[in-house]
Amino acid sequence: MRFRRRALTALACAWALLAPNVARPDDTAPPRRVLPGARPGGTVLLPNQWSLRPAGRQLALGDFPVNLALHPDGQFLAALHAGYGEHEIVLVDLKKQKIVSRAALDQTFYGLCFSPDGKRLFASGGEHEVVHAFDFADGFLTKHRQFPVVSEKETFVPAGLAVDAAGRTLAVAGPWGGAVALVSLDTPDERTLVPLGKESYPYACLFDRDGKRLFVSLWNQAAVAVIDLAEKKPVGTWATEKHPTEMALTPDGKSLFVACANSTKVSVLDTTKGQARETISCSLYPDAPAGNTPNSLCLTPDGQLLFVANADNNNLAVFNVADPGDARPLGFIPVGWYPTSVRFNPADKRLYVANGKGTTSLANPQGPNPLLPARGQTVRQYIATLMNGTLGILDLPTPERMAEYTKRAYLCSPLRRDLGVTAERPEGNPVPARVGDTSPIKHCVYIIKENRTYDQVLGDMKEGNGDAGLCLFPERVTPNLHKIAREFVLLDNFYVDGEVSADGHEWSMGAYATDFVEKAWPLGYRGSRAGKIGYPSEGKYDLATPAGGYIWDRCKEAGISYRSYGEWIQNGKTPKEPGTARAKALEGHFDPWFHGYDLDYPDQKRADRFIEELRGFEKKGEFPRLTILRLPNDHTSGTKPGKLTPTAMVADNDLAVGRVVEAISKSAFWKETAVFILEDDAQNGPDHVDAHRSTAFVVSPYTKRKHVDSAMYSTSSLLRTMELILGLKPMSQYDAAARPMYHAFTSRADPKPYEHVAANVDLTEVNKPDAFGAKLSEKFDLTKEDLADDLLFNEVIWRSVKGKESPMPAPVRAAFFLRHLKKDKDDD
């Protein structure tokens, strides 16, 4: 077997040698407040500290485009949308570069393809277990029909689709069914299911050039299955990197390129021997951990050039693959936010890229307010509905243009070649500059809360950049959070990396959300057939596990102690039954008697349990180096009659945080401890800066007292800071690239303990039957995070706190919303 690893790096391209010398912001002094959005020079700063400056033109699409299909004549392109909002197919006339038609779908999931003659278009029907079929002509879809792949009672969820060269057989991958369906297009009722294993999760299908075999990427098995079409059974499995998704064959059919999204690489397989030819690294730097997410690829028809969409690096990696087994890197092309699909059109020699999250993060003045039609509100601007993508359109670049694009791609990334910290460490700072350096801080306590924005809680603090008009839980309700922010450090420029709890908890524990989580959560959150896919996070699916693992995996690897209280833990059936770990590495490293997510269980009892454990650790003279503590009740139960009011639940959460911080600050471990507190996401409220801006707190003897730190930080920044203190390697490219929270710390320790503040509101107040939104709240499913309609939930909480007649302000929230970028002169 000939196996070669080719890395696309700065050293591999002459022009990329510019990358290490790129000027970066001066971090020696406390950074000034820099907010997300348009920056000088035409770039857009994202809340996660990465930037965008996409090449080419941008055409507005809809909610989270996940797949593109080129018509055989090259004049038209179909884009499939599978986000939280409307699912649809959009048809684009590539000559006119405009949308010519749309077709709405009840639900879809990734699958999209034209028949070889271009007269039909097929699309996945998602959890409805059907394939949508249309006749196609001149940019329009007609004669819509659908045929079942399995019974609707079964769970298959059609994903990748492919039609054979004769146009007679449709292959349908079923991730949740562990099989591929072979459907006769002459008689669609005739179909054969080919089982590939329940845990295989077939994703995409590709017919061999001779029509005798079908290649199927197995999302959860790091492999490609080979199906004999005559026998209709699998005849082999070829190993790949993690999360194989899209595939492409060379013109001679001898090499198969496989994008592997939960890695940094593309696997190249010899189709005659079923062996690896080479592995191509597609990340900005060869030794970078996972995090660029190569999830789509395409070849030019002559098989000379390979284009790979790096979803989480917001770029395309380009290779010359003319010589089998000897891929040569050509550079990077910067594109929009989270590219999900890349296609080359030989008819016009252009590249087309679906940017799943668009091109910028913007304010949305029309916040969610669905119960006030009199206000004339027609746009629902909940964050999950605002992932409006774009179609990037660019000419095949010349070598000179490729050099310019490559330099730009490096400028848009905060990641460093050596994976070193991306901010200069002040002299004597207790947070180390390198993994393995010593720190006076030995213990990190990591507290996870649920779903609040900065303005909702701290908008009334005059010391920071808040909007008091959006403050729903001011100091009267959250006296401890306000006191902690005032006595220690106020962080008014902190952003969560996730959009909702499903990806928020993944980001909070792993500094990454896999392609599976990104593509699956919108289906579960839409509420359509939610029982089939459901909540894809927190240990429910192996597919959700990042290649770099979670922070407890890094602790285990480093041989340091760790313990979880409620995070990634399945509660017992009652509080009197022990919980169980949802991750193997947590077995033996969690408190089975700590009650996790359950809105009927008070955070005070959670605080009681943790403090009891803390006292036990003091008696033993030992304390875990990392403690993860879940305090979820600021999520609230809305105004459901008989349940605690939102104000009571947030106040309960505030008091629990205050008591826990006080207990730690008065413990034997305080002098060597730092407490980090954040929300897993910020979806349940407005913010005048950005939908991702949230509260975060750092409490330690080494925290700067009475200080406002306006440096831009993110979830990954917080994780990076803890990793440096604990001596842990980064889990992904995101924590490796994130700015550590140096300016929240000082070298001069102040051991003064924290004294908690008693609640100012009634912690036992319950919702009355006539409370605003009571009937709606009765219907909310609060057994798991985010199952309730967030738009209605926000409105109910606002009115319950501010009064029935108080209209909720139009929040200024960031949105994944298209803003056409001005074309660069060199992009013409």
Side-chain angles (χ1 to χ4, degrees):
M1 176 181 74
R2 184 185 181 195
F3 180 87
R4 301 180 64 183
R5 177 180 176 180
R6 293 283 177 176
L8 179 58
T9 71
L11 293 174
C13 324
W15 49 83
L17 288 171
L18 295 168
N21 299 317
V22 168
R24 297 188 183 278
D26 180 9
D27 288 302
T28 56
R32 62 187 177 88
R33 183 187 292 130
V34 177
L35 302 179
R39 306 295 302 153
T43 63
V44 173
L45 178 63
L46 299 176
N48 59 23
Q49 304 173 53
W50 292 62
S51 296
L52 299 176
R53 195 182 170 197
R57 291 191 62 239
Q58 301 296 319
L59 179 68
L61 292 178
D63 191 341
F64 200 50
V66 294
N67 202 350
L68 301 176
L70 276 166
H71 190 268
D73 70 8
Q75 183 178 346
F76 297 98
L77 175 144
L80 186 71
H81 298 75
Y84 175 89
E86 184 172 12
H87 285 194
E88 62 179 342
I89 302 168
V90 169
L91 275 299
V92 180
D93 186 323
L94 300 182
K95 289 184 179 179
K96 298 178 181 178
Q97 294 190 8
K98 60 181 290 189
I99 293 173
V100 292
S101 66
R102 297 176 183 268
L105 303 173
D106 290 334
Q107 194 190 81
T108 189
F109 187 73
Y110 175 68
L112 183 72
C113 71
F114 281 101
S115 60
D117 61 9
K119 294 181 179 180
R120 289 177 289 181
L121 179 70
F122 302 95
S124 159
E127 292 169 311
H128 293 284
E129 312 300 358
V130 300
V131 170
H132 297 281
F134 300 86
D135 287 355
F136 175 85
D138 299 323
F140 294 92
L141 300 175
T142 58
K143 297 183 180 178
H144 177 213
R145 54 209 178 276
Q146 53 189 22
F147 47 85
V149 181
V150 297
S151 164
E152 194 167 2
K153 294 181 180 180
E154 298 178 66
T155 301
F156 186 82
V157 190
L161 308 176
V163 181
D164 68 352
R168 303 193 66 180
T169 301
L170 175 71
V172 185
W176 279 262
V180 167
L182 300 174
V183 181
S184 169
L185 292 177
D186 295 328
T187 53
D189 288 338
E190 295 181 15
R191 55 190 180 274
T192 302
L193 285 184
V194 181
L196 296 171
K198 279 295 183 183
E199 296 303 313
S200 62
Y201 282 79
Y203 183 82
C205 301
L206 182 65
F207 285 95
D208 200 357
R209 298 295 184 195
D210 60 11
K212 296 180 179 179
R213 296 182 297 179
L214 179 73
F215 303 118
V216 184
S217 57
L218 304 180
W219 216 4
N220 196 38
Q221 285 192 347
V224 168
V226 183
I227 295 175
D228 183 304
L229 292 171
E231 298 292 330
K232 295 184 178 180
K233 66 180 183 180
V235 292
T237 302
W238 302 340
T240 66
E241 298 293 327
K242 292 183 178 180
H243 286 202
T245 53
E246 289 191 351
M247 301 169 287
L249 276 167
T250 51
D252 62 8
K254 293 182 179 179
S255 293
L256 180 71
F257 292 83
V258 187
C260 299
N262 199 10
S263 77
T264 61
K265 306 176 182 73
V266 166
S267 293
V268 187
L269 306 176
D270 183 332
T271 61
T272 60
K273 299 178 181 179
Q275 298 176 340
R277 284 191 185 275
E278 62 180 332
T279 301
I280 306 173
S281 177
C282 304
S283 60
L284 290 163
Y285 303 108
D287 297 323
N292 49 298
T293 318
N295 70 343
S296 177
L297 52 71
C298 68
L299 290 164
T300 50
D302 59 7
Q304 301 284 304
L305 296 176
L306 172 70
F307 302 93
V308 183
N310 285 316
D312 275 298
N313 278 181
N314 312 316
N315 64 40
L316 305 180
V318 187
F319 300 86
N320 182 327
V321 291
D323 297 324
D326 191 19
R328 300 179 184 279
L330 299 178
F332 295 96
I333 301 174
V335 294
W337 198 349
Y338 206 85
T340 56
S341 185
V342 57
R343 302 291 180 253
F344 176 76
N345 186 8
D348 58 17
K349 294 183 172 57
R350 285 180 172 148
L351 285 165
Y352 295 91
V353 183
N355 299 308
K357 299 183 180 182
T359 58
T360 189
S361 183
L362 291 177
N364 57 321
Q366 295 178 321
N369 202 1
L371 300 184
L372 291 180
R375 293 173 62 189
Q377 189 164 330
T378 58
V379 180
R380 289 161 56 97
Q381 290 185 314
Y382 166 49
I383 186 173
T385 67
L386 293 170
M387 289 184 179
N388 292 307
T390 64
L391 178 67
I393 305 170
L394 57 149
D395 295 329
L396 195 64
T398 62
E400 295 76 18
R401 182 64 59 81
M402 196 71 217
E404 296 168 4
Y405 284 160
T406 300
K407 180 179 178 181
R408 191 191 298 180
Y410 277 100
L411 280 165
C412 287
S413 167
L415 189 67
R416 286 178 41 165
R417 180 200 302 277
D418 62 1
L419 304 183
V421 297
T422 53
E424 187 169 334
R425 174 178 174 266
E427 186 74 24
N429 198 277
V431 180
R434 292 177 297 274
V435 172
D437 287 357
T438 60
S439 170
I441 302 171
K442 303 301 180 187
H443 310 283
C444 291
V445 178
Y446 186 20
I447 300 176
I448 313 297
K449 294 162 16 84
E450 287 285 339
N451 299 20
R452 297 288 151 222
T453 62
Y454 178 93
D455 275 341
Q456 266 192 317
V457 179
L458 300 179
D460 61 334
M461 286 193 69
K462 296 179 180 179
E463 299 92 327
N465 181 21
D467 184 340
L470 297 178
C471 187
L472 193 58
F473 303 110
E475 189 159 4
R476 182 181 68 87
V477 181
T478 54
N480 285 285
L481 296 180
H482 282 72
K483 183 178 180 181
I484 289 169
R486 193 170 284 119
E487 287 196 358
F488 292 90
V489 59
L490 172 63
L491 304 170
D492 69 349
N493 203 16
F494 179 91
Y495 303 85
V496 290
D497 284 330
E499 276 81 53
V500 296
S501 288
D503 61 335
H505 278 275
E506 296 290 327
W507 280 103
S508 297
M509 296 299 138
Y512 183 65
T514 66
D515 64 310
F516 166 76
V517 173
E518 291 279 5
K519 292 170 182 174
W521 76 254
L523 271 68
Y525 274 55
R526 294 175 88 237
S528 175
R529 304 294 197 277
K532 291 193 175 183
I533 292 178
Y535 189 75
S537 182
E538 299 181 53
K540 181 176 180 180
Y541 289 95
D542 289 341
L543 261 171
T545 303
Y550 299 105
I551 193 165
W552 46 77
D553 295 304
R554 282 289 189 257
C555 288
K556 183 176 182 179
E557 175 185 83
I560 70 171
S561 55
Y562 58 97
R563 189 166 176 82
S564 174
Y565 292 85
E567 186 72 1
W568 252 255
I569 305 302
Q570 177 65 49
N571 288 332
K573 293 182 180 180
T574 71
K576 295 183 179 181
E577 296 183 36
T580 55
R582 293 199 188 109
K584 188 172 181 59
L586 287 177
E587 293 176 358
H589 295 271
F590 74 100
D591 179 6
W593 300 109
F594 183 91
H595 203 66
Y597 187 88
D598 178 352
L599 297 179
D600 291 330
Y601 191 86
D603 275 343
Q604 295 312 303
K605 289 187 176 181
R606 295 186 178 95
D608 290 342
R609 176 62 187 176
F610 173 76
I611 293 169
E612 178 188 351
E613 285 258 303
L614 179 64
R615 300 293 177 246
F617 283 120
E618 285 190 285
K619 291 178 181 178
K620 295 178 182 177
E622 60 183 33
F623 188 45
R625 295 287 309 282
L626 174 66
T627 298
I628 303 169
L629 175 62
R630 189 167 191 172
L631 296 174
N633 282 9
D634 60 333
H635 182 285
T636 85
S637 296
T639 56
K640 193 170 185 178
K643 301 295 184 181
L644 292 174
T645 65
T647 295
M649 294 192 74
V650 171
D652 168 52
N653 177 262
D654 175 83
L655 180 57
V657 170
R659 291 179 57 220
V660 166
V661 169
E662 179 182 290
I664 293 170
S665 74
K666 293 182 177 180
S667 75
F669 311 111
W670 171 236
K671 293 181 181 181
E672 298 179 315
T673 298
V675 181
F676 297 86
I677 308 167
L678 89 169
E679 307 282 325
D680 71 304
D681 67 79
Q683 67 162 317
N684 278 359
D687 191 273
H688 84 281
V689 172
D690 191 286
H692 298 84
R693 195 170 69 130
S694 187
T695 59
F697 307 87
V698 180
V699 188
S700 172
Y702 291 93
T703 303
K704 287 182 181 178
R705 297 276 183 155
K706 303 184 188 309
H707 176 66
V708 177
D709 184 0
S710 294
M712 176 183 264
Y713 299 128
S714 66
T715 302
S716 294
S717 293
L718 190 150
L719 287 165
R720 179 63 153 159
T721 305
M722 290 196 296
E723 289 163 355
L724 290 167
I725 291 171
L726 296 172
L728 309 179
K729 295 188 299 183
M731 296 174 284
S732 78
Q733 293 177 25
Y734 273 81
D735 50 341
R739 179 200 299 271
M741 304 174 80
Y742 286 132
H743 295 287
F745 289 87
T746 178
S747 60
R748 296 179 297 276
D750 181 349
K752 180 182 177 182
Y754 175 76
E755 299 283 347
H756 83 270
V757 182
N760 296 318
V761 300
D762 183 0
L763 299 185
T764 64
E765 182 185 28
V766 297
N767 296 307
K768 297 177 181 178
D770 61 347
F772 180 86
K775 292 183 179 179
L776 281 172
S777 295
E778 287 278 16
K779 299 177 182 178
F780 291 153
D781 184 349
L782 301 172
T783 58
K784 191 69 180 173
E785 306 96 306
D786 303 347
L787 294 184
D789 186 313
D790 190 67
L791 290 163
L792 297 173
F793 199 57
N794 286 344
E795 181 77 16
V796 163
I797 293 172
W798 178 272
R799 298 286 192 103
S800 76
V801 175
K802 296 290 188 178
K804 291 182 180 180
E805 305 305 321
S806 175
M808 188 168 71
V812 181
R813 297 175 67 192
F816 299 111
F817 195 81
L818 170 69
R819 172 164 54 181
H820 288 293
L821 300 179
K822 293 182 179 179
K823 290 170 59 180
D824 295 333
K825 292 180 180 179
D826 61 354
D827 280 348
D828 293 333

